[in-house]
Amino acid sequence: MAAALNWTWLLSGPEPSGSPLAAIQASTSTRERDQVLDGLAEQALGDDLSALNLYAAGLACAGYIDRAREVWGRVPEDAPEAIWAAINLATCQMRDGQFDATARMLLECQGRIEEGTALRQLIERRLGELGEAWARRERERRLMELRSAAIRERIERGLVYLEELKDLVRIVGRLMQIPDSGLTSRDVLAAAELVHASAPADPEGLEFLALGLLTCEEHDRIPEVLLELEQKAPHSQILAQLRKSRTEPDNKKGVAKYLTSRKEAIDKATEGDLEAEAELRFGLQIFPNDVEARVALLFGAFNRGDLLETRHIADELAADSAAGYYTHVHVAQFYWHLGEHDAAKHHFLTAFRLAENEADRDSVREAIRAVGAWKSEADDS
């Protein structure tokens, strides 16, 4: 449910002859596209910030949004071209469905531009379009929530049909993609389980179940379900996509790109960057078992001085029955800083017990020394 807005990338000066952006969009091969980008990159090596902006726009047109963000971020805030970079960064956020962040950035840009100018009018027009898109998304969201509630009521009354259960999977999957919806991939898996229980041999139900298990990393059940899907629906698109993802270079590049983006978000969130934290929370709706992201949010809340949020996240992590060494050693340190020394000792010892090798046990000992905790049973071991 991303914003259905087709905002163009803005340039701080006239586009050079030959229309490189149009050439990128019209290119039929990766090599052809990258040749144009190489030329733009070479022009951007100097002090011409309009060339830097053009290079970033070229990257965005080619689909390299994360690289484009990084290039636009190199434009000094006090430079005349910074306003163009900021508007383009707002467009990146809009494409990610980050309505609040987009509106904040556009409002900041609006305040820096003189009234009545063409650029000010463009910003105001985009703010209006953003508001309409947000209202449209909220209406769609409300309709889906009502439909979901109606199906769940029919489930409780024993009156539900198989197609309604499938609709529930699709609805929960779409709602999950909305930041702050409160739904995760586990909710999608739960809905898929209902479909499978109702019609165990249904191929589409098996596809729903396979995707849910893969997303939730339920590794023990995945082989059995995939084997059943292979038998019931050998031409399944889900199976074809899985095979493709394991063999095609572009898919492997996509995974690498996701991992790089995730690492950057984790690094920023750890420092207390609110936008990075929002990105991680959205990711957790899809991958709720991402412990590293959850620990990064713990660091972020603490580094921002929000001790209530720190305690809340620490309590959630501590209550996770599947938590391992990595979770417990971090929770222990934060409980110690929060003055919860008994709880900290408990989690230090749990981390030491769950550590799988001597290196991990050494890191527990180091964490205990780092916070100045008591000489624990771990040190005596």
Side-chain angles (χ1 to χ4, degrees), residues 49-64:
L49 293 179
S50 63
L52 192 69
N53 188 45
L54 177 61
Y55 173 47
L59 288 169
C61 286
Y64 301 127

Side-chain angles (χ1 to χ4, degrees), residues 22-90:
I24 290 171
Q25 292 172 325
S27 63
T28 57
S29 69
T30 302
R31 180 182 177 185
E32 184 179 316
R33 180 188 63 199
D34 288 347
Q35 284 178 339
V36 179
L37 287 174
D38 288 344
L40 294 178
E42 186 175 348
Q43 296 171 24
L45 290 175
D47 298 328
D48 185 353
L49 293 179
S50 63
L52 192 69
N53 188 45
L54 177 61
Y55 173 47
L59 288 169
C61 286
Y64 301 127
I65 300 295
D66 291 335
R67 287 171 59 190
R69 288 180 200 264
E70 188 274 328
V71 173
W72 274 315
R74 282 158 35 196
V75 177
E77 292 185 3
D78 58 350
E81 287 82 359
I83 191 69
W84 303 94
I87 295 172
N88 286 326
L89 284 171

Side-chain angles (χ1 to χ4, degrees), residues 143-156:
L143 287 172
M144 286 192 293
E145 289 173 341
L146 290 172
R147 174 63 173 155
S148 172
I151 295 173
R152 293 184 188 281
E153 183 178 346
R154 288 178 59 80
I155 291 172
E156 291 178 4

Side-chain angles (χ1 to χ4, degrees), residues 118-131:
L119 187 56
R120 174 73 176 252
Q121 291 171 357
L122 180 141
I123 293 172
E124 291 170 349
R125 185 165 60 253
R126 290 193 173 185
L127 280 168
E129 292 170 351
L130 185 68

Side-chain angles (χ1 to χ4, degrees), residues 69-297:
R69 288 180 200 264
E70 188 274 328
V71 173
W72 274 315
R74 282 158 35 196
V75 177
E77 292 185 3
D78 58 350
E81 287 82 359
I83 191 69
W84 303 94
I87 295 172
N88 286 326
L89 284 171
T91 300
C92 292
Q93 292 169 325
M94 179 275 295
R95 294 190 176 204
D96 288 341
Q98 299 176 26
F99 286 69
D100 290 343
T102 305
R104 283 196 302 272
M105 185 163 285
L106 287 178
L107 286 170
E108 290 175 8
C109 293
Q110 183 184 41
R112 293 158 56 187
I113 299 295
E114 185 179 348
E115 289 187 26
T117 61
L119 187 56
R120 174 73 176 252
Q121 291 171 357
L122 180 141
I123 293 172
E124 291 170 349
R125 185 165 60 253
R126 290 193 173 185
L127 280 168
E129 292 170 351
L130 185 68
E132 291 174 1
W134 180 88
R136 185 165 56 250
R137 188 186 74 171
E138 288 305 299
R139 286 194 298 271
E140 292 175 0
R141 173 180 180 167
R142 182 58 181 153
L143 287 172
M144 286 192 293
E145 289 173 341
L146 290 172
R147 174 63 173 155
S148 172
I151 295 173
R152 293 184 188 281
E153 183 178 346
R154 288 178 59 80
I155 291 172
E156 291 178 4
R157 297 169 60 188
L159 301 173
V160 71
Y161 296 107
L162 178 59
E163 288 306 314
E164 290 178 310
L165 291 175
K166 290 181 180 181
D167 277 348
L168 182 63
V169 178
R170 299 184 188 100
I171 289 169
V172 174
R174 291 183 66 193
L175 287 172
M176 181 192 68
Q177 297 174 38
I178 302 175
D180 302 323
S181 70
L183 296 174
T184 73
S185 54
R186 292 209 168 277
D187 296 294
V188 179
L189 176 57
E193 296 274 20
L194 292 174
V195 175
H196 185 58
S198 176
D202 183 80
E204 190 175 22
L206 284 168
E207 288 183 333
F208 287 151
L209 185 58
L211 284 176
L213 292 171
L214 285 165
T215 305
C216 292
E217 300 179 359
E218 297 282 348
H219 300 297
D220 293 342
R221 296 179 59 195
I222 290 171
E224 178 185 349
V225 173
L226 290 180
L227 178 61
E228 190 174 357
L229 185 57
E230 185 84 54
Q231 294 170 344
K232 297 286 191 336
H235 303 296
S236 161
Q237 290 186 356
I238 299 301
L239 285 174
Q241 289 173 7
L242 286 172
R243 297 186 190 104
K244 182 179 177 181
S245 68
R246 292 171 183 168
T247 58
E248 290 199 0
D250 284 348
N251 284 280
K252 293 178 180 179
K253 288 179 183 177
V255 172
K257 179 181 175 183
Y258 163 75
L259 292 175
T260 300
S261 174
R262 174 182 169 277
K263 184 181 183 304
E264 291 174 355
I266 284 176
D267 291 342
K268 291 180 181 179
T270 298
E271 298 169 359
D273 185 293
L274 291 174
E275 288 188 9
E277 288 185 30
E279 183 177 339
L280 289 186
R281 286 194 178 90
F282 181 45
L284 283 167
Q285 291 181 197
I286 304 172
F287 302 106
N289 293 334
D290 190 345
V291 175
E292 191 177 3
R294 295 170 71 190
V295 170
L297 292 175

